[in-house]
Amino acid sequence: MSGVPHRPWVWSFGAAAAVFAATLLVTGGTGAAGLGQAALTFAAFSVIVGIGQMFVITLGPGNIDLSIPATMTLAGTVALKAMDGAAGTELLGLGAALGIGLGVGLGNYALIKALRIPPIIATLSTSFIIQSAAIWTNRGLRIKPPDSLAAFATGAPLGVPNVALVALALAAIAWLLLERSLFGRRVAAIGQNERAARFAGVPIDGVRLATYALCAVLAGLAGFLLACFSGGAALNMGSEYLLMSIAVVVIGGSSVAGGSSNVPGVWGASLFMFLIVSMLNTYGFGAGVRMILTGLIIMTVIFAAGGGRVRRR
Amino acid sequence: MRTDLLRVLVPAFSFALLLGVVFWLQPRTMSYLGLNLLFNLAVPIALATIAQMIVIALDDLDLSIGAFVSFCACVTATFLNDAPLVGAAILLGAIGVYALVGAVIWLRDLPSIVVSLGMSFVWSGLAVLILPSPGGAAPEWVRAVMTVRPPVLPMAIVASLAIAAVAHLVVMRSSFGTALRGVGGNARSMQRAGWSVLSLRAGAYALAGLFGVMAGVALVGLTTAADANIALRYTLLTIAGVILGGGEFNGGRVSAIGAVIGALTLTLAASFLTFLRLSNDWQIGAQGAILILVLAVRLVLNRRESYR
Amino acid sequence: MNAATETVPLIELRGAEKSYGAVRALTGADLAIRAGTCVGLVGHNGAGKSTLVGILNGGVAPDRGAIVVDGVERTGAHSIAAARAAGLRCVFQELSLCPNLTVAENVRILHAGLGGWGWRKRAGRLIVAELDAIFPDHAIAPGRVLGDLSISERQMVEIAIAFLDVAAPVRAVILDEPTSSLDGSRAADLLAHVRRFVRRGGAVVFISHILSEVLSVTDRTVVMKDGRIVADRPSTAFDVSSLVQAMGSVARESAASRPLRSGADAPILEGPGDFKARAGEIVGFAGLAGHGQSEALRGLFRQGSSDWIAGHVTRAAFVAGDRQVDGVFPLWSILWNATATVLPRLVRRGLIDRHAEAAFGLEWQARIGIRTPDMAAPILSLSGGNQQKALFARALGSSAPVVLMDDPMRGVDVGTKQEVYLRLRAEAEAGRTFVWYSTEMDEISLCDRVYVFRDRAIVAEFAGPDVTEANVLAASFRSAAA
């Protein structure tokens, strides 16, 4: 690959493996399979939203999507409501979730462009509105997903959890897009040097619109799968995924300055993040230590990588 | 002077309008007690909004303010109550960490968004360690300050006026405040004029940390207990408040009085939506819509801005 | 004129030299700035004015030569702070103030000694007094935010701040194109103030492309060309045409003139003002740097492309001159940088055909002569000239019939330039159209037709044998203030 010379994703997998081993040290080696399955399952959701966030971050400094949790929640809620637990409605539910994502993504970019505000503020505002819509849709109802989908989301007929398979497939597609497709090249071009991309004929607005739409659609998919997995759409189901989506992108080795993305790293980082939690739990540490450690890890990674962003004002 | 005045007049006018509508919808709020209830919670929010405003004045963004205020609230409800010296030391240390963050962002040229997100994890984690479940108690003196009953205007109004005055004096009128806003406006020029951008940034972040600490203490004074999530929503609220008050995301242009008005407006908007019998479901969404509306109005007013 | 010539110069350069890589920006300049004199500095692009000024104000360190301040040798110890301490101030065209602060606050920022109680009022009084002295009847209140002022008012504030005595007296002021942002009579106000300042014993270095202004306000005029000072005489010894002549080269052999192309072909590109370009033409944009040429090129590019959808055929390709800002993708390889515009052509079944891409890279590496063992190496591993060649490959390899070039040879070595010139000529013969903004007369003389820009508009057009340095120079400089 003649693009980027280094392969930073290797160490995120290495770190994940190290943490896996450290956890098993306490249990004496038992439960490895269970831990592995859990890691793959929970990492899968982080991967799906992480991939979307990664595309947005690759667009360059200042690009970030804060509406992911709200989109997840609304998509899951609406999808479950549309399906109403009935059999044969799987595609309807999926379509609803993806459609919500598409709408949110288009809305986000419309705001960014029309109001000329930074993406962080635009996605912040829409997240407020979407969250409200989710609350309103979810009024007191406790709808369960159709049995077929619940089974799919929690099952692992091939040994590997289904949701992990979905996430793996998406990662493969994302990798293909970024490495081999015109769209991926354009995203990276804009992230490295937006002016140069403009003068090389890249349609800046078109590509950004597609990227924000892609991110929101992936968030919708993640919300859909998470709702099916959890047996319902809780209003706070997306809350931890905002910071998680950014964390797995950063820790996975994508550049926060844009222009350089790292798909395998998102998987490595997602596994790593889940396994850190498990390890801390196993060793008896609580949520507090976990959060502190997560924050310190994120900051260490960016500190070491440096910004590299040329402040052009 | 026109654009200048407009920047403060628009939020002031919107606030007055909103207040008028609230009075009309619910005349009982026009009393001492009513006003106090309406604006009680505005005090910690206003303090946190000033903290956010300082960071925005430097051309950065602080996504950790909510977690930081929650952390300070937890410290107040526990250490500050049981072992005041230890509590004070912790809070001072926290201000020091804030200053360090401000310096590191400049030294390594890091994006403030991601760094502050990382710090939010740290503050939240520390808060959870201190108070895994809601609890603690407000120190007597804090409670006394927050429930004082001044003669004409309720505490909430008096406090808000005081915050606006102090913030205006420190950030908008003093040399230090001017210099830190200069960093947000043209850091290179500041360097060439001989200022130490590093010290200014560290000092500014420390000041923001101080306001954050005060927000946490004030909050506990009002709610008498604390928990790790108590102020997480402040992050988004404070950004909205600064923008509502006429601040800009880039270029270091902020207004302290505007920011306080913005915080008050957002607090009022929550009550307003309740009085409108708008279901709670839409309250958050309405805040997002307000933010979008304000930005749209500002875009129209800014058409004439040609520089940069 | 007083006995200023006998006194010790305020600041003096002896044999100053500065090179940026292969480009020799300044070769052996001797300049003395004395109290009570106003020195004019004129020259065309690449003359070395900015470098000279940079060395004077401490922003640029010379490679060789001595800097003497008040008779004391300060080579190696001269910095912006040192220059300020010696009483030297600068006003450039780009804003050095903070647009989010008020006028008075900006004064405070630039003069650290103004602190203490009531500084705002003091700063306000000081700046208003200075503004009153320089620009009578100005309407600038010290409490106004700088960003809310008009461009002319901002420039007035910058100038006033530069002339302001706070802690140490201002002894010399360098004014770089100070009147270009000032409107109406303000330019005359400034010139009058410069004379007063000089009479009171100050020194001024005055850089302007409005030659009549230079001659009217200065005591001495220094003419620069190609990095050296070619004339340094009392201003009374010059007039506009002799100045222009001095800026030109001494009787140079005129380049073989190209036959005038017949105007029968319909223009394939029409742009701002009278601009037209025909197939196979090399059209030049000349004039002093920063007079609207780049903006015109960008406008032409935007005419033929879209921000939302990538068309299959773009009207124009662009070669950037400021590589880092407009051209290079720093994380990518040479190959990926070169193929940026032609990628749509290389897509097979939805994915980029890497073999075709590599083949394109090899083909153009040979055609344009990029010196690298491996096109997959990072672009930043190349020398500046070769990076520029990669950017040329990006534009020339596309199918666009028009290629817009934004002073692409700036800072490129002679060997590379010659290779690229040959390539351009070959492409033009084959029917490609080039619009070439260049700050070098040598390149302008390679063009079939030239438009000269001044103050953001086309002021002259020359074709064929009329494309001479004398004509371009005369058109670039304004003889009288409008």
Coordinates of all heavy atoms in Angstrom, one line a residue, chain C residues 396-426:
Chain C
L396 N -1.2 18.2 -15.4 CA -1.0 17.8 -16.8 C -1.5 16.5 -17.2 O -2.0 16.2 -18.3 CB 0.5 17.9 -17.2 CG 1.2 19.3 -17.0 CD1 2.7 19.2 -17.3 CD2 0.5 20.2 -18.0
G397 N -1.5 15.6 -16.2 CA -2.0 14.2 -16.5 C -3.5 14.2 -16.6 O -4.1 13.2 -17.1
S398 N -4.2 15.2 -16.2 CA -5.7 15.2 -16.3 C -6.1 15.5 -17.7 O -5.3 15.9 -18.5 CB -6.3 16.2 -15.3 OG -6.2 17.5 -15.9
S399 N -7.4 15.3 -18.0 CA -7.8 15.5 -19.3 C -8.4 17.0 -19.5 O -8.9 17.3 -20.5 CB -8.9 14.5 -19.7 OG -9.9 14.6 -18.6
A400 N -8.2 17.8 -18.5 CA -8.7 19.1 -18.6 C -8.0 19.9 -19.7 O -6.8 19.9 -19.8 CB -8.6 19.9 -17.3
P401 N -8.7 20.6 -20.6 CA -8.1 21.4 -21.7 C -7.4 22.6 -21.2 O -6.6 23.2 -22.0 CB -9.3 21.7 -22.6 CG -10.5 21.7 -21.7 CD -10.2 20.7 -20.6
V402 N -7.7 23.1 -20.0 CA -7.1 24.3 -19.5 C -6.3 24.0 -18.3 O -6.8 23.3 -17.4 CB -8.1 25.4 -19.2 CG1 -7.5 26.6 -18.6 CG2 -8.9 25.7 -20.4
V403 N -5.1 24.5 -18.2 CA -4.3 24.3 -17.0 C -4.0 25.7 -16.4 O -3.4 26.6 -17.1 CB -3.0 23.6 -17.3 CG1 -2.1 23.5 -16.0 CG2 -3.2 22.2 -17.8
L404 N -4.4 25.9 -15.1 CA -4.2 27.2 -14.4 C -3.0 27.0 -13.5 O -2.9 26.1 -12.7 CB -5.4 27.6 -13.6 CG -6.7 27.6 -14.4 CD1 -7.9 27.6 -13.4 CD2 -6.8 28.7 -15.3
M405 N -2.0 27.9 -13.6 CA -0.8 27.8 -12.8 C -0.6 29.0 -11.9 O -0.5 30.1 -12.4 CB 0.4 27.6 -13.7 CG 0.1 26.4 -14.6 SD 1.6 25.8 -15.5 CE 1.8 27.2 -16.6
D406 N -0.5 28.8 -10.6 CA -0.5 29.9 -9.6 C 1.0 30.1 -9.2 O 1.3 29.8 -8.1 CB -1.4 29.5 -8.4 CG -1.6 30.6 -7.5 OD1 -1.1 31.8 -7.8 OD2 -2.1 30.4 -6.4
D407 N 1.8 30.7 -10.0 CA 3.2 31.0 -9.7 C 3.9 29.7 -9.2 O 4.4 29.7 -8.1 CB 3.3 32.1 -8.7 CG 4.6 32.8 -8.7 OD1 5.4 32.6 -9.7 OD2 5.0 33.5 -7.7
P408 N 3.8 28.6 -10.0 CA 4.3 27.3 -9.5 C 5.8 27.2 -9.4 O 6.3 26.3 -8.8 CB 3.7 26.4 -10.6 CG 3.6 27.2 -11.8 CD 3.3 28.6 -11.4
M409 N 6.5 28.1 -10.1 CA 8.0 27.9 -10.1 C 8.7 28.7 -9.0 O 9.9 28.7 -8.9 CB 8.6 28.4 -11.4 CG 7.9 27.8 -12.6 SD 8.2 26.0 -12.5 CE 8.0 25.6 -14.2
R410 N 7.9 29.2 -8.1 CA 8.5 30.0 -7.0 C 9.4 29.1 -6.1 O 9.0 28.0 -5.6 CB 7.4 30.5 -6.1 CG 7.8 31.9 -5.5 CD 6.6 32.4 -4.7 NE 5.4 31.7 -4.8 CZ 4.2 32.1 -4.3 NH1 4.1 33.3 -3.8 NH2 3.1 31.4 -4.4
G411 N 10.6 29.4 -6.0 CA 11.5 28.6 -5.1 C 11.9 27.3 -5.7 O 12.4 26.5 -5.0
V412 N 11.8 27.2 -7.0 CA 12.2 25.9 -7.7 C 13.5 26.2 -8.4 O 13.8 27.2 -8.9 CB 11.1 25.5 -8.7 CG1 11.6 24.3 -9.5 CG2 9.8 25.2 -7.9
D413 N 14.4 25.1 -8.4 CA 15.7 25.3 -9.0 C 15.6 25.4 -10.5 O 14.7 25.0 -11.2 CB 16.6 24.1 -8.6 CG 16.0 22.8 -9.1 OD1 15.0 22.3 -8.5 OD2 16.5 22.3 -10.1
V414 N 16.7 26.0 -11.1 CA 16.7 26.3 -12.5 C 16.6 25.1 -13.4 O 15.8 25.1 -14.4 CB 18.0 27.1 -12.9 CG1 18.1 27.3 -14.3 CG2 18.1 28.4 -12.1
G415 N 17.2 24.0 -13.0 CA 17.1 22.8 -13.8 C 15.7 22.3 -14.0 O 15.2 22.0 -15.1
T416 N 15.0 22.3 -12.8 CA 13.6 21.8 -12.9 C 12.8 22.8 -13.8 O 12.0 22.3 -14.6 CB 13.0 21.8 -11.5 OG1 13.8 21.0 -10.6 CG2 11.6 21.3 -11.5
K417 N 13.0 24.0 -13.6 CA 12.3 25.0 -14.4 C 12.4 24.7 -15.9 O 11.4 24.7 -16.6 CB 12.8 26.4 -14.1 CG 12.4 27.0 -12.7 CD 12.7 28.5 -12.7 CE 12.7 28.9 -11.3 NZ 12.9 30.4 -11.2
Q418 N 13.6 24.6 -16.3 CA 13.9 24.4 -17.7 C 13.1 23.1 -18.2 O 12.5 23.1 -19.3 CB 15.4 24.2 -18.0 CG 16.2 25.4 -17.7 CD 15.7 26.7 -18.5 OE1 15.2 26.6 -19.5 NE2 16.0 27.8 -17.9
E419 N 13.2 22.1 -17.4 CA 12.5 20.8 -17.9 C 11.0 21.1 -18.0 O 10.4 20.6 -19.0 CB 12.7 19.7 -16.9 CG 14.2 19.2 -16.9 CD 14.5 18.2 -15.8 OE1 13.6 18.1 -14.8 OE2 15.5 17.6 -15.8
V420 N 10.5 21.8 -17.0 CA 9.0 22.0 -17.1 C 8.6 22.9 -18.2 O 7.6 22.7 -18.9 CB 8.5 22.5 -15.7 CG1 7.0 22.8 -15.8 CG2 8.8 21.6 -14.6
Y421 N 9.4 24.0 -18.5 CA 9.1 24.9 -19.6 C 9.0 24.1 -20.9 O 8.1 24.3 -21.7 CB 10.2 25.9 -19.8 CG 10.4 26.9 -18.6 CD1 11.6 27.6 -18.5 CD2 9.4 27.1 -17.7 CE1 11.8 28.5 -17.5 CE2 9.6 28.0 -16.6 CZ 10.8 28.7 -16.5 OH 11.0 29.5 -15.5
L422 N 9.9 23.2 -21.1 CA 9.8 22.4 -22.4 C 8.5 21.6 -22.4 O 7.9 21.6 -23.5 CB 11.0 21.4 -22.4 CG 12.4 22.0 -22.7 CD1 13.5 21.0 -22.5 CD2 12.4 22.6 -24.1
R423 N 8.2 21.0 -21.3 CA 6.9 20.2 -21.2 C 5.7 21.1 -21.6 O 4.8 20.7 -22.3 CB 6.8 19.7 -19.8 CG 5.7 18.7 -19.6 CD 6.1 17.3 -20.0 NE 5.0 16.8 -20.9 CZ 5.1 16.2 -22.0 NH1 6.3 15.9 -22.4 NH2 4.1 15.8 -22.7
L424 N 5.7 22.3 -21.0 CA 4.6 23.2 -21.2 C 4.5 23.6 -22.7 O 3.4 23.6 -23.2 CB 4.7 24.5 -20.4 CG 4.7 24.3 -18.8 CD1 4.8 25.7 -18.2 CD2 3.5 23.6 -18.4
R425 N 5.6 23.9 -23.3 CA 5.6 24.3 -24.7 C 5.0 23.1 -25.5 O 4.2 23.3 -26.4 CB 7.0 24.6 -25.1 CG 7.3 25.6 -26.2 CD 6.1 26.3 -26.8 NE 5.9 27.6 -26.3 CZ 4.9 28.4 -26.6 NH1 3.9 27.9 -27.3 NH2 4.8 29.6 -26.1
A426 N 5.5 21.9 -25.2 CA 5.0 20.7 -26.0 C 3.5 20.6 -25.8 O 2.8 20.4 -26.8 CB 5.8 19.5 -25.5

